[in-house]
């Protein structure tokens, strides 16, 4: 038996012991995670700096705070979430007890990603623990420093048999996916998502796939461009564009294009200074392979700002492209880097048509003072989530589900949605053994009853 098989079997044996069933145990484990974050915050920030050139403030704002809030929200609400939910009754079940009982699925596998390697591993883990599961954690090998840190610190704060961490690259993940799990949550690319889903299908294992896509950003003529462009620039260029829900490209009327370019440039300089390479707030591309891929997207493009890069430090300048051809390579794949293409459309209807001709994105953004424009965009398109007059921020609301649709993924989590994702909602009906007379009509023989009917 391989080491990975042994780890998974140990997690299943620990789950089968029943110790995750109690509310008290689950809360203790969540408190352990919270303590881990508070006590090892500097180590977490250090790993993020080494992998992605994040400073301590950005590490806290973009990852640590979301994880702590998710844990605290779960601890506060879990006593209510675990209660049986009474349901509406039919005329025939008025004397019965009908309810939904949430039970843990078993052993979950969480495959993290490299762009937010802490929070996008810990947040789903919170939901899986809250629901009473064992959890095998596989951090991304691309963010190597964070992967090694999680493997070191998680066993120090939570049950090491129930919540093991497995490190390694494609061979280890491939071997891991041969094992039987009761749920898999994967965050990453659509291509690898298909591999995960294929492996899961062999065991009929349900999955949540948090993928990506090209998240459009429509800027209406009736809009405060200064505020819109500041918010767009913030969401696009944070983490050097390596955010799954970053605005991928802008759709706007041709008359707005030059104004948007100037206002985006102004915001970039406010955030990162004249040379973003010298800014402590500006990130780096995670690997040389990703650096080459993103730089390749600039070929043949009209660069209105930026466009430079440094392979040695994996730096790519904040870049704006204008008059972008929808058929060009930069519009065929998720950019996942600090490049903002602007595509001109002549109406809201044309923007909606443009979006609907492409794969469904993980997020969609619309900027307008006109509520009818916003409502029309929401009503006539499809995406994992929407934020109007800002970007990314819908992810921070615990009561909103975070997930994709179509090529951008399936399933969702965050807050109570995570608890439901990692639970089996079991239909329960409890009936008395007294008074069988009301049920006589259902028993054979049927001939006499049919005549009366």
């Amino acid at each position: 038996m391989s080491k990975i098989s042994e780890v998974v079997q140990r997690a299943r044996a620990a789950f089968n012991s029943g110790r995750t069933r109690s509310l008290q145990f689950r809360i203790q484990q969540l408190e352990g995670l919270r303590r881990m974050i508070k006590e090892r915050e500097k180590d977490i920030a250090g790993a993020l700096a080494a992998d992605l050139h994040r400073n301590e403030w950005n590490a806290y704002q973009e990852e640590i705070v979301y994880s702590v809030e998710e844990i605290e929200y779960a601890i506060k609400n879990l006593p209510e979430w675990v209660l049986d939910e009474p349901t509406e009754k039919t005329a025939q079940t008025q004397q019965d007890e009908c309810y939904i009982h949430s039970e843990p699925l078993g052993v979950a596998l969480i495959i993290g990603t490299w762009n937010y390697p802490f929070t996008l591993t810990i947040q789903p883990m919170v939901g899986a623990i809250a629901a009473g599961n064992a959890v095998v954690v596989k951090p991304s090998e691309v963010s190597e420093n964070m992967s090694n840190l999680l493997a070191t610190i998680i066993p120090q704060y939570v049950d090491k048999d129930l919540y093991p961490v497995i490190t390694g690259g494609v061979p280890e993940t491939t071997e891991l996916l041969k094992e039987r799990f009761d749920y898999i949550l994967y965050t990453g690319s659509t291509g690898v998502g298909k591999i995960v889903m294929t492996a899961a299908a062999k065991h009929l294992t349900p999955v949540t796939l948090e993928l990506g896509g090209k998240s459009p950003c429509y800027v209406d003529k009736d809009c405060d461009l200064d505020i819109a462009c500041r918010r767009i620039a913030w969401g696009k260029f944070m983490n050097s564009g390596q955010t799954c829900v970053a605005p991928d490209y802008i759709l706007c009327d041709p008359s707005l294009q030059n104004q948007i370019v100037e206002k985006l440039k102004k915001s970039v300089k406010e955030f990162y200074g004249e040379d973003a390479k010298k800014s402590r707030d500006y990130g780096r591309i995670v690997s040389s392979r990703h650096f080459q891929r993103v730089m390749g997207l600039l070929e043949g493009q009209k660069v209105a700002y930026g466009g430079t890069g440094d392979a040695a430090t994996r730096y790519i300048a904040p870049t704006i492209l204008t008059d972008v051809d929808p058929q060009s390579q930069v519009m065929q794949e998720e950019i996942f880097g600090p490049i903002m293409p602007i595509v001109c459309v002549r109406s809201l209807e044309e923007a909606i048509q443009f979006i609907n001709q492409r794969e469904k994105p993980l997020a969609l953004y619309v900027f307008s003072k006109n509520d009818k424009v916003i409502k029309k965009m929401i009503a006539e398109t499809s995406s994992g989530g929407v934020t109007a007059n800002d970007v990314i921020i819908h992810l921070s609301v615990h009561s909103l589900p975070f997930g994709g649709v179509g090529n951008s993924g399936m399933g969702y989590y965050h807050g109570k949605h995570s608890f439901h994702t990692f639970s089996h909602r079991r239909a329960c009906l409890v009936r008395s053994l007294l008074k069988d007379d009301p049920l006589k009509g259902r028993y054979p023989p049927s001939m006499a009853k049919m005549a009366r009917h």
Side-chain angles (χ1 to χ4, degrees), residues 119-276:
T119 194
L120 291 181
T121 305
I122 295 299
Q123 276 193 312
M125 187 181 179
V126 170
I129 291 173
N133 298 280
V135 188
V136 177
V137 178
K138 171 61 183 70
S140 171
E141 72 281 4
V142 178
S143 47
E144 185 180 9
N145 293 282
M146 182 58 74
S147 178
N148 292 334
L149 178 66
L150 291 174
T152 300
I153 65 176
I154 285 177
Q156 296 174 17
Y157 290 87
V158 295
D159 189 302
K160 62 181 186 297
D161 292 332
L162 280 165
Y163 314 114
V165 181
I166 291 176
T167 58
V170 174
E172 288 79 9
T173 306
T174 302
E175 189 178 343
L176 195 53
L177 285 169
K178 291 176 184 175
E179 299 293 323
R180 179 174 183 170
F181 292 95
D182 300 293
Y183 204 91
I184 299 174
L185 187 146
Y186 164 78
T187 305
S189 70
T190 300
V192 177
K194 291 176 181 178
I195 294 169
V196 171
M197 195 170 179
T198 300
K202 292 176 183 174
H203 300 290
L204 290 180
T205 299
V207 296
T208 287
L209 302 177
E210 294 295 348
L211 309 177
K214 296 185 74 63
S215 297
C217 180
Y218 175 68
V219 181
D220 187 40
K221 281 184 177 178
D222 185 8
C223 179
D224 185 323
L225 285 181
D226 288 296
I227 291 176
C229 289
R230 187 181 303 121
R231 293 175 182 180
I232 293 166
W234 168 75
K236 179 66 179 185
F237 298 115
M238 70 189 295
N239 200 29
S240 200
Q242 299 166 115
T243 303
C244 57
V245 288
D248 189 273
Y249 61 94
I250 289 173
L251 294 171
C252 68
D253 188 88
S255 65
L256 295 183
Q257 181 173 234
N258 289 338
Q259 294 178 68
I260 288 174
V261 169
E262 291 307 311
K263 291 177 189 303
L264 285 174
K265 284 165 60 175
K266 181 184 174 189
S267 293
V268 167
K269 289 174 183 176
E270 281 177 12
F271 297 162
Y272 307 115
E274 289 294 330
D275 184 359

Side-chain angles (χ1 to χ4, degrees), residues 73-149:
Y73 187 78
I75 289 171
K76 177 185 173 185
N77 291 285
L78 192 54
E80 181 186 336
W81 294 347
V82 299
L83 297 177
D84 293 337
E85 299 174 38
T87 61
E88 192 177 341
K89 299 178 186 180
T90 63
Q92 292 77 28
T93 57
Q94 288 301 310
Q95 304 307 311
D96 304 322
E97 193 180 355
C98 301
Y99 59 92
I100 298 168
H101 174 72
S102 294
E103 62 182 23
L105 292 167
V107 181
L109 169 63
I110 291 172
I111 305 177
T113 190
W114 54 262
N115 60 326
Y116 291 87
F118 185 73
T119 194
L120 291 181
T121 305
I122 295 299
Q123 276 193 312
M125 187 181 179
V126 170
I129 291 173
N133 298 280
V135 188
V136 177
V137 178
K138 171 61 183 70
S140 171
E141 72 281 4
V142 178
S143 47
E144 185 180 9
N145 293 282
M146 182 58 74
S147 178
N148 292 334
L149 178 66

